[in-house]
Amino acid sequence: MKAWEVVIGIETHAQLSTQAKIFSGSATAFGAAPNVQANAVDIALPGVLPVLNKGAVECAIKFGLAVGAKIAPRSVFARKNYFYPDLPKGYQISQYELPVVLGGQLAISLGETERTVNLTRAHLEEDAGKSLHECPGANFHGRTGIDLNRAGTPLLEIVTEPDMRSSAEAVAYARALHALVRWIGICDGNMQEGSFRCDANVSVRPVGQAEFGTRREIKNLNSFRFMQQAIDYEVQWQIATLEDGGSIEQATVLFDPQSGETRAMRSKEDAHDYRYFPDPDLLPLLIDRQWVDETAARMPELPAARRDRLAAEYGLSAYDARLLTASLELATYYEAAVAAAGKSGAKACANWVMVDLTARLNKEDREIGQSPVSAEQLGGMIARIADGTISTNIARKVFDALWNREGDSADEIITSHGLQQITDSSELEALIEEVLATNATMVAEFRTGKEKAFNALVGQAMKATRGKANPQQVNALLRKKLG
Amino acid sequence: MSLTIDQVHRVAHLARIEISDSEADRTLGQLNEIFALIEEMQAVDTQGVEPMAHAQDVAQRLRADRVTESGQTDQRTAFQSVAPETEAGLYLVPRVIE
């Protein structure tokens, strides 16, 4: 049996987070009543003209800067001609020969290994409307309903080179891109609402063969899990077909999450004859150096730079730094917590954010921006662990109380709930004497050499202090008293 | 270069224009005359000339990212008053299945 190599390229449509559409003044907000965000330009009434949204161009510039691409000083809009009911003009305004962003690279990580994926280009275009085949409470009499609210929403189509060699790499790329567009604030990344949609071009070839195999394009992958499943299925299907002596025909396929299979769309022999030509309604888009520089000055520190800085500045491991830079919100939260806790609490802050806070957020299906515990509150609590006011165990109680909004700060909760650690050793000694007196059997067992009995005594002592004692101190005192 | 009658039919189909055979024949002749003109123009040396994207040598003007009209159901009502069929705010079209 031959060994096969998988070749994958990804095209992503990222909906840009502008207020208005790319060529009109209609709103882009998701979820409005059908066709109330579709004006004369969007529905293509005769005589209307498109005027390009500056905000959409700025998103493209930001993306180009973030991936180290060339931002074209002059790019051109073209008409991509095809007929579909949710495309009112009979063409989509896109860019073809002269796109706004050229080249660039994106770093991806698979476990511990890092590599880069090369980008071919990114271009601006408009989205189409939506076709609805059924909708609750409405009868379309066997027809299709058209909602043009989405028509004209700005998209950045980001195209990679055929650089990925497995479904895992493809998903790692999609995740890295998803994180980046959100980080630089050009796309909300909401995959359920279709703000971030991926197509995967998949082919296989015998290992060592220079030419690519014939590719099939899997359309509209709207979750990372589906992307992995769809590519895995497609690869197996292509290999099985070729090993059976068959050949692959270029096709567009859809993934069916129910069956886990990909199937070819009805073949449209002229589907790819889009007869592109420069749109005479739009003039060339010129972007000068000054505009690029001004945009660069407003960009946040990029994820890779932020990650390296967090590692260096706070002594975090590469792994921790990467987790904490999964999103701009998370990185910002972390640094705000450190600011409140003091730099010596940086490592503790990392652990609290990555473990306790993340677990709690996941459990309640919340984003970091919706955390009931603010970064300042968490940092304040960690400062109290550092100065010995509370133990890590008690801190969990304080954290719960903060989460449930039982107080405005860790200090307030520690006072109102009486959670200060008992550091006064005479108070602690008295408590331990009591424990020894009431647990004479355990003491006797310990004296016969049973180490287990010692642990039980520690447990009793901690219980007597309601967890407010420092366990190391309790340990030491017990040893002293028993020794 | 000259077109074939099949190419004329194909282009007509792509543009969703219905043409009869006699119309196709006539169109073929007209298009071939245009191609002859283009051939003449192609004799001009354009080496080093940057292709134009527009007849006017000016740059695209940009609009600010601001919503100027939206959420207006009365505008929708006006637009839909001339649509052949609507339902629940949607335009209805012959069923599209893919």
Side-chain angles (χ1 to χ4, degrees):
Chain A
M1 219 173 76
K2 261 188 240 177
W4 296 92
E5 183 179 48
V6 178
V7 177
I8 303 165
I10 307 266
E11 290 169 21
T12 305
H13 287 92
Q15 258 179 27
L16 300 176
S17 307
T18 55
Q19 298 299 307
K21 292 190 177 175
I22 185 167
F23 298 119
S24 86
S26 290
T28 54
F30 182 84
N35 291 307
V36 300
Q37 288 175 180
N39 71 7
V41 174
D42 309 319
I43 69 169
L45 288 190
V48 298
L49 284 172
V51 183
L52 183 59
N53 183 338
K54 189 176 181 190
V57 179
E58 255 169 18
C59 289
I61 296 173
K62 283 182 185 171
F63 179 76
L65 288 167
V67 296
K70 181 185 175 207
I71 292 152
R74 175 176 174 272
S75 65
V76 170
F77 286 91
R79 292 186 181 180
K80 178 180 179 178
N81 299 279
Y82 68 94
F83 290 98
Y84 209 76
D86 57 22
L87 187 75
K89 292 191 292 295
Y91 58 85
Q92 177 192 28
I93 304 178
S94 181
Q95 296 189 300
Y96 190 53
E97 285 166 314
L98 299 167
V100 64
V101 173
L102 290 153
Q105 286 191 326
L106 189 63
I108 63 168
S109 51
L110 287 118
E112 292 302 300
T113 51
E114 278 223 359
R115 53 157 301 197
T116 55
V117 170
N118 291 295
L119 304 180
T120 313
R121 58 186 275 162
H123 65 253
L124 285 164
E125 62 182 29
E126 58 179 343
D127 209 344
K130 271 185 190 161
S131 300
L132 302 156
H133 303 297
E134 50 201 49
C135 136
N139 179 2
F140 299 158
H141 322 287
R143 289 163 187 263
T144 295
I146 303 292
D147 178 5
L148 297 174
N149 281 349
R150 199 181 64 181
T153 297
L155 298 176
L156 190 65
E157 180 173 336
I158 303 152
V159 183
T160 74
E161 292 290 297
D163 262 7
M164 287 147 280
R165 293 292 174 267
S166 66
S167 59
E169 283 192 1
V171 171
Y173 164 77
R175 284 187 185 278
L177 181 65
H178 184 253
L180 181 67
V181 295
R182 293 182 63 198
W183 186 287
I184 60 175
I186 65 167
C187 170
D188 67 21
N190 190 321
M191 295 175 85
Q192 272 102 46
E193 292 176 3
S195 300
F196 187 89
R197 324 191 279 269
C198 294
D199 304 335
N201 284 294
V202 179
S203 65
V204 298
R205 63 179 169 186
V207 169
Q209 180 182 303
E211 313 85 66
F212 292 127
T214 306
R215 64 168 199 258
R216 303 214 307 168
E217 182 180 18
I218 314 171
K219 277 272 183 204
N220 276 333
L221 295 163
N222 61 2
S223 88
F224 299 124
R225 192 163 55 91
F226 290 164
M227 175 181 274
Q228 177 117 32
Q229 287 174 5
I231 294 173
D232 286 342
Y233 178 85
E234 179 65 21
V235 165
Q236 289 313 310
W237 181 87
Q238 289 190 15
I239 292 173
T241 303
L242 292 168
E243 287 186 344
D244 285 348
S247 61
I248 307 295
E249 272 178 55
Q250 192 166 333
T252 302
V253 304
L254 290 175
F255 176 66
D256 178 359
Q258 242 91 56
S259 65
E261 295 177 358
T262 53
R263 62 176 171 83
M265 288 168 74
R266 202 161 35 122
S267 112
K268 287 176 285 180
E269 58 188 40
D270 24 64
H272 291 288
D273 197 340
Y274 291 125
R275 296 156 295 140
Y276 282 97
F277 65 90
D279 191 331
D281 287 347
L282 288 155
L283 294 153
L285 166 63
L286 301 189
I287 299 172
D288 59 19
R289 194 68 241 166
Q290 193 191 342
W291 191 7
V292 175
D293 291 344
E294 282 168 9
T295 308
R298 288 197 305 272
M299 296 261 290
E301 185 182 19
L302 292 171
R306 186 82 173 247
R307 186 191 59 203
D308 294 347
R309 183 172 61 75
L310 289 192
E313 204 169 319
Y314 304 118
L316 303 178
S317 69
Y319 178 82
D320 287 359
R322 199 164 71 212
L323 276 186
L324 289 168
T325 50
S327 74
L328 183 60
E329 292 77 13
L330 190 65
T332 306
Y333 184 102
Y334 170 69
E335 290 208 79
V338 175
K343 223 164 170 175
S344 59
K347 186 76 189 133
C349 284
N351 289 332
W352 275 91
V353 169
M354 289 186 302
V355 182
D356 301 80
L357 180 68
T358 303
R360 195 69 185 259
L361 289 170
N362 288 345
K363 197 173 139 200
E364 299 192 9
D365 201 20
R366 288 172 190 255
E367 299 287 327
I368 184 86
Q370 305 162 317
S371 169
V373 180
S374 72
E376 291 68 27
Q377 289 172 330
L378 184 69
M381 183 192 87
I382 290 163
R384 294 290 87 83
I385 304 173
D387 67 17
T389 307
I390 52 171
S391 66
T392 303
N393 269 331
I394 291 292
R396 297 220 157 77
K397 290 186 187 165
V398 176
F399 181 78
D400 280 347
L402 283 170
W403 187 278
N404 298 323
R405 302 183 202 275
E406 289 167 28
D408 286 337
S409 69
D411 287 340
E412 192 188 314
I413 287 165
I414 292 165
T415 310
S416 65
H417 291 50
L419 294 172
Q420 293 93 330
Q421 192 154 264
I422 305 168
T423 44
D424 180 346
S425 63
S426 59
E427 190 184 343
L428 202 55
E429 265 181 73
L431 271 165
I432 284 172
E433 298 275 5
E434 234 182 279
V435 168
L436 292 179
T438 49
N439 293 284
T441 345
M442 286 184 199
V443 174
E445 276 177 23
F446 174 74
R447 298 217 191 277
T448 64
K450 284 192 184 140
E451 194 58 26
K452 243 188 195 164
F454 181 76
N455 292 336
L457 283 166
V458 173
Q460 289 298 321
M462 290 305 290
K463 203 170 143 193
T465 62
R466 293 192 296 129
K468 292 187 293 181
N470 178 329
Q472 278 84 39
Q473 208 181 347
V474 168
N475 246 301
L477 277 171
L478 265 174
R479 289 267 178 217
K480 201 174 101 192
K481 299 265 170 204
L482 291 167
Chain B
M1 170 183 175
S2 66
L3 285 175
T4 65
I5 193 75
D6 286 346
Q7 285 171 317
V8 172
H9 279 293
R10 179 167 154 74
V11 170
H13 171 66
L14 284 172
R16 300 296 186 271
I17 295 170
E18 191 179 0
I19 53 169
S20 66
D21 286 348
S22 64
E23 278 174 319
D25 280 336
R26 201 162 62 239
T27 308
L28 176 65
Q30 289 168 346
L31 285 175
N32 276 335
E33 278 171 35
I34 294 170
F35 270 98
L37 288 175
I38 292 171
E39 234 156 84
E40 255 178 69
M41 286 195 282
Q42 276 176 336
V44 179
D45 181 11
T46 56
Q47 195 98 55
V49 178
E50 196 186 344
M52 293 165 75
H54 198 275
Q56 284 176 294
D57 191 18
V58 276
Q60 176 63 37
R61 271 177 48 187
L62 302 169
R63 68 188 305 144
D65 179 24
R66 208 169 44 235
V67 176
T68 52
E69 49 179 328
S70 232
Q72 297 156 337
T73 37
D74 51 340
Q75 199 181 34
R76 179 180 77 183
T77 309
F79 291 154
Q80 296 199 337
S81 67
V82 292
E85 225 181 328
T86 59
E87 175 92 36
L90 298 160
Y91 296 90
L92 292 192
V93 299
R95 195 172 173 81
V96 198
I97 303 164
E98 187 58 78

